[in-house]
Amino acid sequence: MFDRFNIELLSTTDPAESKLEHHKAIQDLGWSGRIVPAFRPDGVTNLGRKDWRQNIQALSQVTNIGINSYRSFIQALEKQREVFKAMGAFSTDHGVNSPYTHELSENEVESIFKRAISGNSTEGDAEQFTAHMLMEMARMSIEDGLVMQIHPGAFRNHNRFVFERFGPDKGADIPTRTEYTRNLYELLNKYGSHPELTVIIFTLDESTYSRELAPMAGHYPALKLGPPWWFHDSIEGMKRFRQRVTETAGIYNTAGFNDDTRAFPSIPARHDLSRRIDSNFLANLVARHIIDTDEARTMSKALAYNLIKKAYKLN
Amino acid sequence: MFDRFNIELLSTTDPAESKLEHHKAIQDLGWSGRIVPAFRPDGVTNLGRKDWRQNIQALSQVTNIGINSYRSFIQALEKQREVFKAMGAFSTDHGVNSPYTHELSENEVESIFKRAISGNSTEGDAEQFTAHMLMEMARMSIEDGLVMQIHPGAFRNHNRFVFERFGPDKGADIPTRTEYTRNLYELLNKYGSHPELTVIIFTLDESTYSRELAPMAGHYPALKLGPPWWFHDSIEGMKRFRQRVTETAGIYNTAGFNDDTRAFPSIPARHDLSRRIDSNFLANLVARHIIDTDEARTMSKALAYNLIKKAYKLN
Amino acid sequence: MFDRFNIELLSTTDPAESKLEHHKAIQDLGWSGRIVPAFRPDGVTNLGRKDWRQNIQALSQVTNIGINSYRSFIQALEKQREVFKAMGAFSTDHGVNSPYTHELSENEVESIFKRAISGNSTEGDAEQFTAHMLMEMARMSIEDGLVMQIHPGAFRNHNRFVFERFGPDKGADIPTRTEYTRNLYELLNKYGSHPELTVIIFTLDESTYSRELAPMAGHYPALKLGPPWWFHDSIEGMKRFRQRVTETAGIYNTAGFNDDTRAFPSIPARHDLSRRIDSNFLANLVARHIIDTDEARTMSKALAYNLIKKAYKLN
């Protein structure tokens, strides 16, 4: 199917503490298909998770670094990012409640980390730590070139019964209102104009398309808007995205189309739909003489193929 | 007009403490038209109202239950719901500032109720009490089968002059931003999958259609979305509702169309408009080969007639 | 270009403390073109600005009123509004973070003003003072007839680097979520039905069009909705505005089209675009037999020309 679907590249998302054994197994096959990991550290950057200390331990084991301080935690993350890169990873992925970014002082973050290691962290600690770690992840991305993906605003495991019986990620996540202008302020001010950084935002809150995300993507060179995501990865959802984003951010500040399916056979249909909707959008601009056919052709290729390769620095 | 309009059923909304004398008068006529009450307890579940104690007294009188505790209050409500049901009621109706739901302990709620009875309740008390009463109303609905309607988010009596001179409900209510994902969490977790419960939500905040309401209605079997309401009961409003809701929740998680007019002669025009807009929506899906004509016919009948009967358990 | 563009009137915005020397210079030319100032007091009504005390001093100098109290501050503002009016001004302009309006007692506002004059005001002081000054500006507008424009919700100077290197207003302002129903409550209750007042609201938060602004503009005679502004002054933005506002507020509660360009040569294109979009909107209503051609013609003239003259009391 991988060949038949004409897939150039497939990226999984993998916990920071992953041994990447499946990726190693694929590589050992000597197969030509390009399947790579993405670095998804939510399990160790979100102090509020029940499995946080367990994940820290696993990160310690896989990196062979004793993690008893914030400083050693950072060392382990940087080391593991290199391992991911060596396995072909080109991106990181951050699922956060809120896109709040805020840099803490060395002392503050060490204190929070130590409270967490000893099982005494508060909800406020978790919020501050996540905000700080987004700043750190941007810093690391500038250093190692991994493209940073942020997708905030899902209330995870909204249905407790489903969660307790079947576990997380079973279709019971519900979107919430999300604020970007204030929350991304620190990150964009410190790193938003850095030529080595690309941050791709995926949102579940469509009211932010024209109000917050398009203006920011139009302003900060490092910021790109990911395609309509999850509940909005649909005909009307895609139309709303282009209608609300394009006049302010253009199409070249969007990241083109990548699907995030868990259903492998759905890949061709998803790309086909996206290409049709984008083509309709462009054709409508041509019909109204806003762009000409040549421009539409270039944009069409960009939306279907070139932009995503550029956004993720692929070649 | 009732016959000429071909009305099968008309529901009024009536305070919990109502003697339903008009309904009795209609029944005594021996007329065949079906006009029934709906149980609307806002006057006794909202502690913040100036007439709250007066309403409690009226509820006490009409039920012949001395209401001096939360427990006796609940008994009176349950008794009065039975009276409404006996008069043909099939639904309850809840106009709340916020759809916040939260169950209090027996002790907490008794304390709040006693503070309120003695005229000492706070604004926080009122908020907590309403949140608790929504939980109680869901519990009672499961027991007695009444369908629960919630319509939050109106800032009532925004124009003080109009309110003081002409009283409430004189066209000076203005919508406010409304949050559902967190606010309905407790109610949906405790009762959202119960086969005996139907909760129908009407909203004034269109930004929640695709972000919060459609995903929740798609997930929780007990939750249905009411038609576009009040300011949004209009051509463009109806189009936005279908465009933003359908891809996530489908049409079978919506409640079909019921108007909420205060102008009796407007009823046929309102249903006519709704049917035209929904037919246009379906015809557009047919024209794009997303559904076929047979499916559109079934859906059209559902949206105009069958869904509303099913949602309200009518027969 | 002024003649060639067939411009009847051009209004600049000028700080409250301005000497209006450029306007005097234009008048001294004896030229027939009508260029007038608008009274924009943000520099003296926003205590949080670094240049606030400097602006107060300038206002003191230009008015020849020693400003050492709130009372003398108000006298200076009233005097300067008269100077602006004498130069042809017909409007005031208020750029605020939030449209929060709230009247303080004489004592409260004097205390805040004195803390500010002595350099000891807090962030809370600034918020309260701005809210109070919006109330005062509405009062003055009723007295002197200047039309009040409010445009809230821009996070100014989001890019600190651009701000520090190039100064304010360099294209780095990002919209934020804005609340109107609660924030405008006091202003609309006190003055919203006054026949001498016109308040025109410009928003960056499109989610408020149908939810808050259209219902309020439909209710309060003094409130008019300005055209889609800034990021939303675009084809799709203009379409969304009409689609979401018209069914509740109609077109006669909107202010018609005025551009707010900083690029003089863009003026004809901006008006041309607005007229085309509005004509398309009306033509679509005609095609669906919602209005007839005669009505469309009248509305078209209103949207392009008459409404803006009426909203700003021009003749």
Side-chain angles (χ1 to χ4, degrees), chain C residues 1-2 4-11 35 233 238 257-275:
Chain C
M1 279 202 287
F2 196 93
R4 203 174 126 204
F5 292 170
N6 197 22
I7 293 172
E8 282 190 27
L9 185 150
L10 188 149
S11 175
I35 299 185
D233 176 12
M238 289 172 177
F257 183 75
N258 51 345
D259 73 279
D260 70 331
T261 189
R262 292 186 204 163
F264 189 76
S266 76
I267 292 174
R270 282 163 171 254
H271 285 259
D272 183 66
L273 179 64
S274 164
R275 289 165 187 200

Side-chain angles (χ1 to χ4, degrees), chain B residues 12-258:
Chain B
T12 60
T13 58
D14 306 82
E17 66 275 16
S18 169
K19 291 172 185 157
L20 301 176
E21 59 270 36
H22 300 301
H23 285 277
K24 279 170 197 152
I26 293 170
Q27 292 201 353
D28 290 345
L29 287 174
W31 179 50
S32 68
R34 189 171 170 196
I35 298 185
V36 302
F39 185 74
R40 183 164 183 173
D42 298 349
V44 293
T45 56
N46 179 356
L47 298 180
R49 285 172 61 142
K50 280 190 184 154
D51 56 1
W52 183 75
R53 285 197 287 178
Q54 198 177 315
N55 298 335
I56 291 289
Q57 235 169 1
L59 180 64
S60 183
Q61 272 166 7
V62 75
T63 55
N64 221 3
I65 293 177
I67 303 179
N68 44 32
S69 67
Y70 172 70
R71 187 168 292 216
S72 50
F73 171 61
I74 291 294
Q75 281 165 359
L77 287 174
E78 287 173 340
K79 184 170 179 187
Q80 193 67 345
R81 286 171 71 111
E82 286 308 317
V83 171
F84 273 65
K85 267 187 79 175
M87 294 294 288
F90 53 85
S91 69
T92 70
D93 193 37
H94 308 273
V96 285
N97 294 332
S98 144
Y100 174 47
T101 57
H102 176 56
E103 201 160 15
L104 299 170
S105 72
E106 185 86 23
N107 277 347
E108 287 172 314
V109 71
E110 272 295 4
S111 301
I112 289 176
F113 193 85
K114 273 169 185 154
R115 277 200 293 280
I117 280 286
S118 60
N120 297 314
S121 70
T122 66
E123 212 174 293
D125 284 346
E127 197 190 327
Q128 291 295 307
F129 191 73
T130 300
H132 176 81
M133 288 310 299
L134 287 176
M135 296 296 286
E136 276 297 89
M137 289 292 143
R139 175 188 65 73
M140 292 183 200
S141 274
I142 288 169
E143 286 170 16
D144 63 20
L146 295 181
V147 170
M148 188 175 179
Q149 300 174 103
I150 307 178
H151 48 90
F155 186 122
R156 299 281 171 181
N157 312 310
H158 195 273
N159 187 326
R160 247 177 349 230
F161 173 80
V162 169
F163 177 62
E164 279 155 20
R165 178 126 172 213
F166 302 105
D169 302 326
K170 290 292 174 290
D173 301 338
I174 308 290
T176 57
R177 204 156 61 203
T178 309
E179 205 283 335
Y180 293 96
T181 305
R182 290 188 169 85
N183 282 325
L184 289 177
Y185 177 71
E186 278 204 36
L187 190 144
L188 292 174
N189 263 281
K190 185 151 188 185
Y191 302 121
S193 303
H194 199 290
E196 299 303 320
L197 182 67
T198 302
V199 177
I200 302 176
I201 301 280
F202 299 80
T203 195
L204 293 170
D205 184 349
E206 294 180 307
S207 76
T208 66
Y209 283 164
S210 66
R211 187 179 57 215
E212 303 172 31
L213 291 177
M216 288 200 290
H219 184 79
Y220 291 100
L223 190 68
K224 301 284 176 250
L225 304 186
W229 176 47
W230 199 337
F231 297 103
H232 312 312
D233 175 12
S234 62
I235 297 176
E236 297 295 335
M238 289 171 177
K239 282 163 65 178
R240 284 195 291 271
F241 178 76
R242 290 284 165 224
Q243 281 166 355
R244 298 187 190 178
V245 158
T246 309
E247 293 176 323
T248 294
I251 68 165
Y252 293 101
N253 291 311
T254 67
F257 183 75
N258 52 344

Side-chain angles (χ1 to χ4, degrees), chain C:
Chain C
M1 279 202 287
F2 196 93
D3 294 336
R4 203 174 126 204
F5 292 170
N6 197 22
I7 293 172
E8 282 190 27
L9 185 150
L10 188 149
S11 175
T12 60
T13 58
D14 306 83
E17 66 275 16
S18 170
K19 292 172 184 157
L20 301 177
E21 59 271 35
H22 300 302
H23 285 277
K24 280 171 195 150
I26 292 169
Q27 292 199 352
D28 290 346
L29 286 174
W31 179 51
S32 68
R34 190 171 170 197
I35 299 185
V36 302
F39 185 73
R40 183 165 185 174
D42 298 349
V44 293
T45 56
N46 180 356
L47 299 180
R49 284 171 62 142
K50 281 190 184 156
D51 56 2
W52 182 74
R53 285 198 285 179
Q54 197 178 313
N55 297 335
I56 291 289
Q57 234 169 3
L59 179 63
S60 183
Q61 272 166 7
V62 76
T63 55
N64 220 3
I65 293 177
I67 303 179
N68 44 32
S69 67
Y70 172 71
R71 187 168 292 219
S72 49
F73 170 60
I74 291 294
Q75 282 165 358
L77 286 174
E78 287 174 341
K79 185 170 179 186
Q80 193 68 345
R81 285 171 71 112
E82 286 308 316
V83 172
F84 273 64
K85 267 186 79 174
M87 294 296 287
F90 53 84
S91 69
T92 70
D93 192 37
H94 308 275
V96 285
N97 294 332
S98 145
Y100 174 48
T101 58
H102 176 55
E103 201 161 16
L104 299 170
S105 72
E106 186 85 23
N107 277 347
E108 285 172 316
V109 70
E110 271 295 2
S111 302
I112 288 176
F113 193 84
K114 274 170 185 150
R115 276 201 293 280
I117 280 287
S118 59
N120 296 315
S121 70
T122 66
E123 213 174 293
D125 284 346
E127 196 191 327
Q128 291 295 307
F129 191 74
T130 300
H132 177 82
M133 287 311 297
L134 287 176
M135 296 295 287
E136 275 298 89
M137 289 293 144
R139 176 188 64 75
M140 292 182 201
S141 275
I142 288 169
E143 286 169 16
D144 63 20
L146 295 181
V147 170
M148 188 174 179
Q149 300 174 102
I150 307 178
H151 47 89
F155 187 122
R156 299 281 172 182
N157 312 311
H158 195 273
N159 187 326
R160 248 176 351 229
F161 173 80
V162 168
F163 176 62
E164 278 155 20
R165 178 125 173 212
F166 302 104
D169 302 327
K170 291 292 175 290
D173 302 337
I174 308 289
T176 56
R177 202 157 61 202
T178 308
E179 203 284 334
Y180 293 96
T181 305
R182 291 189 168 84
N183 282 325
L184 290 177
Y185 177 70
E186 279 204 35
L187 190 144
L188 292 174
N189 264 281
K190 186 152 188 183
Y191 302 121
S193 303
H194 199 291
E196 299 303 320
L197 182 66
T198 302
V199 177
I200 302 176
I201 301 280
F202 298 81
T203 195
L204 293 170
D205 183 349
E206 294 180 308
S207 75
T208 65
Y209 283 163
S210 66
R211 187 179 59 214
E212 302 172 32
L213 292 176
M216 288 199 291
H219 184 80
Y220 291 100
L223 191 68
K224 301 284 176 251
L225 304 187
W229 176 46
W230 199 336
F231 297 104
H232 311 313
D233 176 12
S234 62
I235 297 176
E236 297 295 335
M238 289 172 177
K239 282 163 65 179
R240 284 194 291 269
F241 178 76
R242 290 283 164 223
Q243 282 166 353
R244 297 186 191 179
V245 157
T246 308
E247 293 176 322
T248 294
I251 68 165
Y252 294 101
N253 290 312
T254 67
F257 183 75
N258 51 345
D259 73 279
D260 70 331
T261 189
R262 292 186 204 163
F264 189 76
S266 76
I267 292 174
R270 282 163 171 254
H271 285 259
D272 183 66
L273 179 64
S274 164
R275 289 165 187 200
R276 284 170 188 267
I277 300 301
D278 284 340
S279 298
N280 270 341
F281 176 75
L282 295 171
N284 193 283
L285 295 178
V286 172
R288 288 182 290 151
H289 304 287
I290 293 170
I291 58 176
D292 66 27
T293 314
D294 281 350
E295 289 169 318
R297 247 186 227 117
T298 308
M299 290 180 183
S300 181
K301 186 81 189 289
L303 290 173
Y305 188 76
N306 292 335
L307 275 174
I308 204 81
K309 290 192 78 164
K310 200 182 158 208
Y312 287 94
K313 305 178 184 174
L314 298 170
N315 38 41

